[in-house]
Amino acid sequence: MAASLNNATLATLPAEVKKPDYDRAVRSRGIVHIGPGAFHRAHQAVYTDMAMAYGGNWRITGVSMRSATLKQKMADQDNLYSLVVLDNEPYVQVIGAFDSVLVLNEDREAIMAALTDANTHIISLTITEKGYCLASNGELDTSHADIMHDLSNPDEPVSAVGLIVSALKHRFEQQQTDITVISCDNLADNGKKLAKAVLQFAQKIQPELAHWIEQNIAFPCTMVDSITPATDEALISLAADKLGVEDAWPIQREGFTQWVVEDKFSGPRPAWDKVGVTFTDDVAAFENAKLRILNGTHSTLAYTGILLGKETVYEAISDSALEAFIRRLLSDEIIPSINAEGVMDLPAYAEDILNRYKNRHIRHLLAQIAWDGSQKLPFRVLNTVRDNLKLGQQAKLLCVPIAAWILFIAKRASDQEELVDPLAETLIGLASQHQGDLPALGAAVLNLPQVFAELTANKWFKDTVQEYVEVLSSITGDNAADVLGAL
């Protein structure tokens, strides 16, 4: 049986493997992270691991809300794991930032002790949007089963919001204000949304607590970015080959990684700024750039690439016609719509994004990016259309991904393949109703107010999309350069 990754084997690893640049034995916890999934372990934990080379007690206690699998695998390895960075110059890095992983229904007392420890200065979260228990209007959903349970049982919370409020209540009683609560989830204004949920929950159990939190505890907004494919048997085998020992749960990500944090803390923080984290007063500018430059071109590549028979982002961007079109879309219509003067270099950021797409080691499926178009396109593309129209700027190229999406819906219906979308029933119904009549399908989709809102009444927009539906319906690998170049 092969040796495992642990404290004893750490010193025996090959020289090219990056290792923690600090003495783990003398560092203690400073962070409790709720939701220690693959993204956190590939992203924030890596920054924290590297920052400890500059000093400070910032080891992480992970809190799993449900699953005990990671707890056991990490404990067997002295809470070490490996990160495999997939790039043209790949490397392996062993991360030692964790001191333990706890599970809520098994380790409640230990979790509360960690959250209320005077030496814990940061509570961070990656729990996905649904973990915030928000209603559609952005308010705390007091009809959510977990929130209802926690309001009735505030000392035995089952939600992340309830858990944070319980910890802050103890700190309120002890007057410990030197802690910051950081959302690291991929949603806009994440800090503001988390703060609202926490304050509304606290208000219901103790108004004085809510006031104290509002006055003393910071909830900075953040923007996070890095593609983190799931761990599979191939990765486990690759990690073992690179390490010379077995790692039960390695993780992988692309070379590119970004973390932007609002410079608003109510306690100390690691030396994240020394290892690549950007602190700013304007996270919204970075969020907007990511949404439009990254997500907007992602969706465009997905729908147009699928029309051309491409399967992955790498295959799509490797098509010279598609790359040329994406570059025109960025320079002519997307970048001019973003106000980030003095905050970030948008052309350089866009070039970084294009280089990420060209990473042949990342298999990012277009079909997956194409999911939930009715939900994603309003934010990724349509808001850019709106801003350009308001400014009197060009927006015709932005109509291409909308036209390609309509053709994608038609193809899914005709091929009798599942359409993954909140409006799937409606969209497939329209495609079936107008089968073989693309102009009629286009008109029906463009009249959906839940997707296009006031743009349903914009004749120029609808006519332009319809024109491109017709043009793109005949696109092939052989004529793509001529078709896209003429748009």
Side-chain angles (χ1 to χ4, degrees):
M1 183 174 177
S4 297
L5 177 64
N6 53 41
N7 286 335
T9 58
L10 185 60
T12 71
L13 301 182
E16 62 269 20
V17 173
K18 298 184 179 182
K19 306 170 189 69
D21 195 14
Y22 57 92
D23 185 351
R24 295 179 80 222
V26 301
R27 300 301 176 89
S28 56
R29 175 186 56 245
I31 298 173
V32 174
H33 183 84
I34 302 172
F39 185 78
H40 169 71
R41 293 192 297 124
H43 191 270
Q44 302 99 47
V46 178
Y47 284 109
T48 301
D49 192 72
M50 294 189 298
M52 277 191 279
Y54 296 90
N57 292 314
W58 293 108
R59 293 190 68 188
I60 302 166
T61 295
V63 175
S64 173
M65 298 300 287
R66 290 178 178 83
S67 174
T69 305
L70 180 63
K71 172 186 175 181
Q72 187 58 54
K73 289 183 180 292
M74 291 279 281
D76 290 344
Q77 300 184 170
D78 297 323
N79 295 296
L80 292 166
Y81 65 92
S82 60
L83 166 69
V84 179
V85 175
L86 305 171
D87 211 334
N88 290 330
E89 297 183 7
Y91 63 86
V92 179
Q93 181 174 355
V94 174
I95 308 302
F98 278 86
D99 71 350
S100 63
V101 175
L102 306 174
V103 182
L104 186 58
N105 63 1
E106 297 177 2
D107 308 301
R108 186 174 293 277
E109 288 187 11
I111 289 169
M112 286 307 300
L115 287 166
T116 58
D117 183 352
N119 294 315
T120 296
H121 296 296
I122 289 174
I123 300 172
S124 54
L125 305 87
T126 46
I127 55 175
T128 75
E129 187 167 359
K130 66 181 180 181
Y132 293 78
C133 301
L134 301 174
S136 57
N137 62 0
E139 306 292 314
L140 181 68
D141 184 0
T142 53
S143 66
H144 191 288
D146 289 351
I147 298 300
M148 292 174 67
H149 171 277
D150 291 357
L151 289 172
S152 299
N153 306 274
D155 294 328
E156 294 185 357
V158 296
S159 72
V161 172
L163 189 61
I164 291 169
V165 173
S166 181
L168 292 180
K169 182 174 183 292
H170 177 91
R171 288 178 171 268
F172 166 56
E173 293 164 354
Q174 300 298 316
Q175 288 299 295
Q176 296 174 345
T177 59
D178 55 347
I179 190 164
T180 303
V181 186
I182 308 177
S183 167
C184 302
D185 280 295
N186 193 19
L187 63 158
D189 291 330
N190 52 15
K192 293 176 183 177
K193 289 175 180 174
L194 176 59
K196 177 179 280 191
V198 166
L199 289 169
Q200 289 180 342
F201 188 102
Q203 182 68 34
K204 289 187 176 297
I205 62 169
Q206 189 178 352
E208 298 86 357
L209 170 62
H211 178 74
W212 178 84
I213 293 172
E214 188 172 24
Q215 294 298 311
N216 293 283
I217 307 300
F219 295 80
C221 290
T222 68
M223 190 272 275
V224 297
D225 190 13
S226 194
I227 297 171
T228 309
T231 296
D232 54 19
E233 290 301 321
L235 176 64
I236 292 173
S237 177
L238 174 62
D241 181 59
K242 297 292 186 183
L243 294 168
V245 297
E246 291 186 353
D247 181 354
W249 207 332
I251 52 172
Q252 58 186 335
R253 68 160 168 78
E254 64 174 327
F256 180 93
T257 181
Q258 185 178 29
W259 192 10
V260 180
V261 183
E262 185 179 8
D263 198 359
K264 183 177 73 173
F265 282 69
S266 44
R269 68 191 186 205
W272 286 328
D273 55 313
K274 296 183 183 298
V275 293
V277 177
T278 300
F279 288 99
T280 180
D281 294 328
D282 188 7
V283 174
F286 289 87
E287 287 180 340
N288 200 30
K290 177 188 173 185
L291 194 62
R292 298 186 179 198
I293 294 176
L294 171 63
N295 300 133
T297 57
H298 241 175
S299 288
T300 303
L301 273 178
Y303 297 122
T304 53
I306 287 170
L307 287 180
L308 292 174
K310 310 298 183 183
E311 189 175 4
T312 67
V313 170
Y314 174 73
E315 289 176 14
I317 202 64
S318 297
D319 184 300
S320 58
L322 272 178
E323 181 184 356
F325 176 76
I326 292 295
R327 286 185 176 278
R328 284 176 56 211
L329 178 63
L330 284 165
S331 64
D332 294 358
E333 298 186 7
I334 294 180
I335 290 175
S337 77
I338 304 168
N339 181 12
E341 187 175 353
V343 178
M344 61 187 300
D345 184 336
L346 294 175
Y349 177 67
E351 197 62 38
D352 284 342
I353 297 300
L354 292 173
N355 287 332
R356 292 171 69 186
Y357 294 164
K358 295 175 183 179
N359 185 341
R360 60 188 174 85
H361 305 282
I362 297 289
R363 184 172 169 78
H364 205 171
L365 296 176
L366 298 178
Q368 186 175 0
I369 298 168
W371 289 354
D372 303 326
S374 71
Q375 195 172 52
K376 292 176 178 176
L377 289 171
F379 300 100
R380 295 182 171 198
V381 175
L382 296 180
N383 282 344
T384 315
V385 171
R386 292 183 176 98
D387 284 354
N388 281 8
L389 293 179
K390 287 177 188 173
L391 295 169
Q393 295 173 171
Q394 181 172 299
K396 66 185 183 73
L397 299 181
L398 288 161
C399 295
V400 171
I402 306 303
W405 177 58
I406 292 169
L407 291 169
F408 172 75
I409 295 167
K411 187 176 188 309
R412 285 279 161 164
S414 65
D415 293 346
Q416 296 186 324
E417 293 184 0
E418 180 188 11
L419 178 68
V420 181
D421 194 287
L423 294 181
E425 186 176 346
T426 298
L427 296 170
I428 292 296
L430 291 175
S432 299
Q433 179 183 343
H434 300 293
Q435 190 170 5
D437 189 347
L438 288 175
L441 173 60
V445 172
L446 289 167
N447 279 327
L448 292 172
Q450 59 268 58
V451 179
F452 296 98
E454 86 293 345
L455 289 174
T456 59
N458 188 306
K459 185 176 185 301
W460 174 88
F461 170 73
K462 293 167 72 174
D463 286 350
T464 305
V465 172
Q466 288 281 57
E467 176 188 344
Y468 290 160
V469 167
E470 181 180 355
V471 170
L472 293 177
S473 65
S474 60
I475 195 170
T476 66
D478 293 331
N479 68 10
D482 292 336
V483 171
L484 294 173
L487 295 177

